[in-house]
Amino acid sequence: MNAYAKYFVKKLFWYLVTLVIAVSLNFFLPRMIEGNPVAMIVSQMTKGMTDSDTIKRVYETFIQEFGVDKPLWQQFLIYVQNLFTGNLGTSFGLYPKKVTDILASAVPWTIGLQLPAILVGWILGNVLGAVAAYKKGVFDKVIFPVALFVNSIPFFTLAIIMLYVFALTLGWFPLSGGYDFQMIPQLSFEFIGSVIRHHTLPFLSIVLVTIGGQAIGMREMSIYELNADYVLYSKLLGIRDSRISRYVFRNAMLPQITGLALSIGTMVGGSLICEIVFSYPGIGTWLFTAIRQLDYPLISGCTLLIALSVLLANFTIDIIYGFIDPRIKASQMEDQ
Amino acid sequence: MTTNILEVSGLKTYYKTRLKEKVFAVDGVDFVLEEGKTLGIAGESGCGKSTLALSLMGFYFPPLHYGSGSIQIHGRDIMKLSKEQLRTQISGREIAYIPQAAMNALNPTLRIIRFIEDIMKEHRPELTKKQVWDMAVERFETLNLSPKVLRSYPNELSGGMKQRTVIAISTILNPKVLIADEPTSALDVTSQKAVIKLMKDLLDKQFIRSLVFITHELPLLYHVTDDIMVMYAGEIVERGTAEQMIFDPLHPYTKKLMGSIIVPEEGMKGHKLAAIPGTPPNLKHVPAGCRFAERCSYAQDQCRENNVAVKEVDGRQYRCHFDTGTLKEWYANEQS
Ligand SMILES: Nc1ncnc2c1ncn2[C@@H]1O[C@H](COP(=O)(O)OP(=O)(O)OP(=O)(O)O)[C@@H](O)[C@H]1O
Ligand code: SF4
Ligand SMILES: [Mg+2]
């Protein structure tokens, strides 16, 4: 086996171990929250009913249906068994909807919100950061503090401020949701228009913080690279500035690409706060609802999805990096 | 008849610190280097050796600034050229440079051959990739370097190998003068020997015509260079043949410098050799009179008051108020 294959297998092994741990935690942690989900659901369903026998029967049916009467370890085995067939169970709160169906309906909203926002924010942030490092002077003196400021506001606060100013006070944008509730999702101009109006504020809030973080990182990296010895050495061999700038840009960019891959990978989990603040119908909002209802299968489903995407993103980065960055390649060689 | 390949007169360069203070690191340097000759430059840390090396390249990057003086290569004053002329006609072609931290001089994400290709794109654009490759392989083989290096990334090479690679790259355009700043300092003895051998090969094969070799290891210069120049506080304080400088120094500083290395005191073996007591003057405020006066055991009132001009005796130059007879008498008395 060559060094790279060994590296690959070793990484793969550790990611699998992590996955097993994540699956267990996803299952057990939510079930350790105090409370009885069935009682909550039944009390809602049987509101107005007086016959305690009927209530009791409904309660018992649900207990059986959800399988919460069995010991926890047995529930876990069933859960794992179902996982292999791609079955994440039935939601308690939205009974009898399947968890996978709920997730499938939520994922497009989350991705549709996050992916464009991350890409736009990442590109703008890196361009601004690189320009600030190259041009220095006034440009740097303005961009850098502004980026630092935006980056230091907690995202939650930023989102709420935007919601308050642009939705509540100015009324430019709707307050919550992914589209007007009266509408039926379809491919009409009106519906798409509604989606875009609802999309704007959460989108901008993510773009803003992404720009801030990326610009700061890129500026630091570029300044570091600009001062590297190879810049002076290349100049003194008569290499033109534009070519040297390309060296610098490329080297400063490599860590930023990790950042991009990571935020895309953590996208599903990364949008939690944004979705909750704007009541956007993605994974984050569902997770929030599920926790309030102690909807174990849905909580586990959401967190599993988040864990999977994070692990997958990291794994992909590790593997690709081993190919493209000779600095990592060299350290792999030393490891063996 | 010998021709002067490098002629430096009245060269003054300085650093401008963030606090706008000036550090006069090269403060009126004159010297001549004849074609085919090698010149060593020695002096304590902070005397301005590296600054001189960099200044000779004719390119100035902040915080280093050009003050005054001329640098002539084959009679052509490179300080009169535009930046673009300097880059396309001089850098790497007429005069090449090996920085003090040559280990870090290579872009970590560029294979060696790619960097050589980039150099050739500037200076020999008519060559195809294939021709560049053949040429590089031939050059590396001639210099007893494995052509495998060409396909490597810098981090895959050992320290000594990296240093030799940098030297081979710097001289690939057959520059007339090579300025090597401490090319052996960070290396073990075996690698040091390999580097010295490489320098000799470059001269023998006429890939370079002259060499300026900067180091603080004086014994090394004795075997490598024809002449030695000693630098102190931004000035040249003495110049002579290697033989004269090591066995018959004139200037009290050279004497101390050689003394501190060649005849270590009893019981000092294995220890770091005793440095000369005191430190070189702060180059922000250069003292009037002889710059060495504060540390010179022969200093007298006139030394501190009157600036010292360079004296020339039998083809040797030194910068001291006293004539050779007086100095030699002092040294003789000290020995007995
Ligand atoms: N970037 C800089 N800004 C300000 N001052 C500097 C800078 N670089 C060097 N100096 C100062 O210039 C003087 C000469 O430094 P230089 O590096 O040329 O010395 P050197 O003889 O090469 O020393 P060494 O043997 O340690 O390499 C020193 O006093 C140093 O403090
Ligand atoms: S001029 Fe005076 S202080 Fe300077 S080196 Fe000569 S003797 Fe020493
Ligand atoms: Mg130095």
Side-chain angles (χ1 to χ4, degrees):
Chain A
M1 240 193 318
N2 66 20
Y4 191 75
K6 263 192 208 159
Y7 167 82
F8 180 88
V9 170
K10 204 167 80 182
K11 284 274 172 208
L12 188 65
F13 171 76
W14 283 112
Y15 275 99
L16 285 178
V17 171
T18 318
L19 181 64
V20 169
I21 296 174
V23 166
S24 319
L25 290 178
N26 284 341
F27 179 84
F28 288 108
L29 283 182
R31 285 165 178 81
M32 277 155 59
I33 308 172
E34 290 278 329
N36 182 345
V38 180
M40 272 163 64
I41 293 163
V42 170
S43 76
Q44 254 180 15
M45 288 187 68
T46 55
K47 228 175 247 161
M49 278 193 217
T50 42
D51 182 0
S52 65
D53 260 6
T54 326
I55 296 182
K56 203 157 176 251
R57 240 183 317 178
V58 172
Y59 183 79
E60 264 150 22
T61 326
F62 271 100
I63 291 267
Q64 265 188 350
E65 178 68 36
F66 294 160
V68 285
D69 51 339
K70 301 192 183 74
L72 207 52
W73 62 269
Q74 215 173 337
Q75 290 181 42
F76 183 58
L77 287 186
I78 297 170
Y79 174 75
V80 172
Q81 212 175 7
N82 285 340
L83 267 189
F84 281 103
T85 61
N87 178 0
L88 290 172
T90 311
S91 158
F92 293 178
L94 286 163
Y95 184 82
K97 267 200 169 167
K98 293 243 160 236
V99 170
T100 40
D101 291 341
I102 298 176
L103 293 184
S105 73
V107 164
W109 289 102
T110 294
I111 293 183
L113 171 62
Q114 289 270 323
L115 195 61
I118 291 174
L119 286 178
V120 169
W122 187 80
I123 293 171
L124 288 180
N126 279 301
V127 169
L128 285 178
V131 172
Y134 283 116
K135 295 266 178 264
K136 304 195 184 92
V138 183
F139 195 74
D140 189 28
K141 287 202 178 92
V142 176
I143 286 198
F144 182 57
V146 171
L148 210 57
F149 176 70
V150 171
N151 199 49
S152 64
I153 309 174
F155 180 69
F156 183 69
T157 317
L158 182 77
I160 292 208
I161 291 175
M162 288 180 72
L163 192 67
Y164 181 79
V165 175
F166 297 107
L168 199 65
T169 312
L170 296 172
W172 292 353
F173 299 102
L175 269 171
S176 69
Y179 54 91
D180 279 326
F181 281 118
Q182 306 92 303
M183 288 189 178
I184 300 154
Q186 58 186 3
L187 264 185
S188 69
F189 282 117
E190 274 157 38
F191 181 72
I192 292 174
S194 167
V195 167
I196 291 176
R197 257 186 301 118
H198 282 79
H199 183 266
T200 311
L201 265 193
F203 170 80
L204 284 181
S205 71
I206 300 174
V207 168
L208 259 184
V209 282
T210 314
I211 289 183
Q214 292 297 325
I216 293 169
M218 186 61 183
R219 177 182 172 275
E220 297 282 301
M221 283 311 299
S222 301
I223 289 177
Y224 174 83
E225 290 290 335
L226 278 171
N227 288 319
D229 293 340
Y230 69 79
V231 171
L232 179 66
Y233 181 61
S234 306
K235 277 190 187 183
L236 292 177
L237 278 168
I239 293 185
R240 70 189 63 207
D241 283 349
S242 60
R243 207 184 301 276
I244 296 174
S245 303
R246 243 178 290 155
Y247 295 170
V248 168
F249 190 71
R250 183 192 139 100
N251 291 354
M253 212 54 206
L254 276 173
Q256 298 299 102
I257 291 175
T258 329
L260 175 66
L262 264 184
S263 35
I264 288 179
T266 54
M267 178 164 71
V268 181
S271 62
L272 290 185
I273 293 175
C274 178
E275 287 184 6
I276 293 168
V277 171
F278 294 99
S279 312
Y280 207 74
I283 298 288
T285 307
W286 279 117
L287 179 60
F288 190 57
T289 319
I291 291 175
R292 277 192 310 188
Q293 297 184 335
L294 287 183
D295 188 344
Y296 299 147
L298 188 54
I299 301 178
S300 297
C302 289
T303 49
L304 181 69
L305 188 68
I306 293 172
L308 261 182
S309 56
V310 171
L311 287 178
L312 203 66
N314 275 295
F315 184 66
T316 317
I317 292 167
D318 274 347
I319 296 310
I320 294 179
Y321 248 61
F323 272 120
I324 60 173
D325 194 334
R327 285 169 288 198
I328 294 185
K329 228 184 233 161
S331 71
Q332 287 161 22
M333 310 262 179
E334 280 153 27
D335 277 352
Q336 267 108 36
Chain B
M1 214 201 87
T2 53
T3 47
N4 292 340
I5 204 161
L6 183 63
E7 219 174 320
V8 177
S9 57
L11 185 63
K12 292 192 179 199
T13 66
Y14 59 90
Y15 294 101
K16 208 186 219 157
T17 65
R18 274 167 179 267
L19 303 171
K20 306 280 176 231
E21 284 176 308
K22 288 181 179 177
V23 182
F24 300 95
V26 172
D27 205 23
V29 165
D30 307 271
F31 73 92
V32 167
L33 178 60
E34 289 170 350
E35 178 140 9
K37 285 250 181 166
T38 53
L39 171 66
I41 301 180
E44 285 167 291
S45 187
C47 283
K49 305 183 298 293
S50 296
T51 313
L52 176 60
L54 197 56
S55 301
L56 292 177
M57 302 301 298
F59 254 121
Y60 295 85
F61 307 104
L64 183 60
H65 296 270
Y66 169 71
S68 56
S70 68
I71 302 165
Q72 295 183 30
I73 298 177
H74 271 314
R76 183 178 182 200
D77 188 352
I78 63 170
M79 292 316 301
K80 295 224 162 72
L81 300 179
S82 74
K83 274 198 166 173
E84 193 58 13
Q85 284 173 318
L86 205 54
R87 181 179 80 75
T88 54
Q89 298 170 19
I90 307 294
S91 305
R93 294 170 78 119
E94 298 280 302
I95 183 163
Y97 169 78
I98 298 170
Q100 182 159 358
M103 306 284 218
N104 307 323
L106 296 170
N107 179 354
T109 59
L110 213 57
R111 286 181 203 272
I112 306 298
I113 185 66
R114 291 283 109 76
F115 186 49
I116 294 177
E117 281 168 9
D118 283 355
I119 296 170
M120 290 304 169
K121 276 182 207 152
E122 305 293 351
H123 298 288
R124 305 279 307 273
E126 75 281 3
L127 295 183
T128 63
K129 265 192 177 189
K130 174 84 175 66
Q131 287 169 318
V132 172
W133 170 258
D134 291 342
M135 186 187 145
V137 168
E138 192 195 323
R139 173 59 63 94
F140 270 56
E141 275 171 350
T142 317
L143 296 175
N144 292 315
L145 285 160
S146 159
K148 255 198 248 157
V149 168
L150 291 168
R151 290 211 190 278
S152 312
Y153 286 102
N155 287 14
E156 295 166 356
L157 307 175
S158 71
M161 199 57 185
K162 226 187 278 183
Q163 180 69 281
R164 287 196 286 155
T165 304
V166 168
I167 296 171
I169 294 175
S170 289
T171 53
I172 203 142
L173 297 165
N174 297 346
K176 299 200 175 82
V177 191
L178 177 64
I179 316 265
D181 191 1
E182 312 239 8
T184 56
S185 295
L187 304 176
D188 60 273
V189 180
T190 325
S191 305
Q192 284 189 357
K193 282 193 180 137
V195 165
I196 306 267
K197 166 88 174 39
L198 179 57
M199 299 278 190
K200 293 210 157 133
D201 283 351
L202 288 169
L203 286 161
D204 289 346
K205 305 216 158 77
Q206 304 226 335
F207 293 151
I208 57 175
R209 297 292 299 126
S210 301
L211 172 68
V212 176
F213 191 110
I214 296 172
T215 179
H216 48 253
E217 289 167 88
L218 282 157
L220 200 119
L221 285 181
Y222 179 60
H223 297 288
V224 180
T225 60
D226 303 317
D227 281 12
I228 296 178
M229 224 159 62
V230 167
M231 208 172 166
Y232 188 76
E235 291 179 332
I236 305 297
V237 295
E238 185 172 2
R239 171 171 183 173
T241 63
E243 183 86 19
Q244 291 167 336
M245 295 292 282
I246 289 189
F247 297 107
D248 182 26
L250 288 177
H251 195 280
Y253 178 62
T254 316
K255 176 89 184 153
K256 278 256 163 56
L257 203 59
M258 301 301 179
S260 74
I261 283 162
I262 292 198
V263 261
E265 287 164 49
E266 204 63 41
M268 282 295 289
K269 280 213 177 89
H271 291 258
K272 226 178 159 208
L273 292 166
I276 306 166
T279 49
N282 184 339
L283 292 174
K284 280 177 199 157
H285 315 283
V286 202
C290 174
R291 296 187 180 183
F292 186 53
E294 210 178 298
R295 301 164 77 193
C296 179
S297 32
Y298 315 107
Q300 296 174 15
D301 285 348
Q302 58 159 317
C303 300
R304 294 187 189 88
E305 282 150 20
N306 305 327
N307 286 344
V308 212
V310 176
K311 285 194 173 67
E312 184 144 358
V313 181
D314 303 333
R316 298 178 65 173
Q317 294 137 6
Y318 71 102
R319 195 186 279 269
C320 176
H321 279 306
F322 299 94
D323 57 42
T324 49
T326 317
L327 288 166
K328 292 211 166 139
E329 201 174 307
W330 285 341
Y331 299 156
N333 287 341
E334 205 160 71
Q335 299 238 298
S336 54

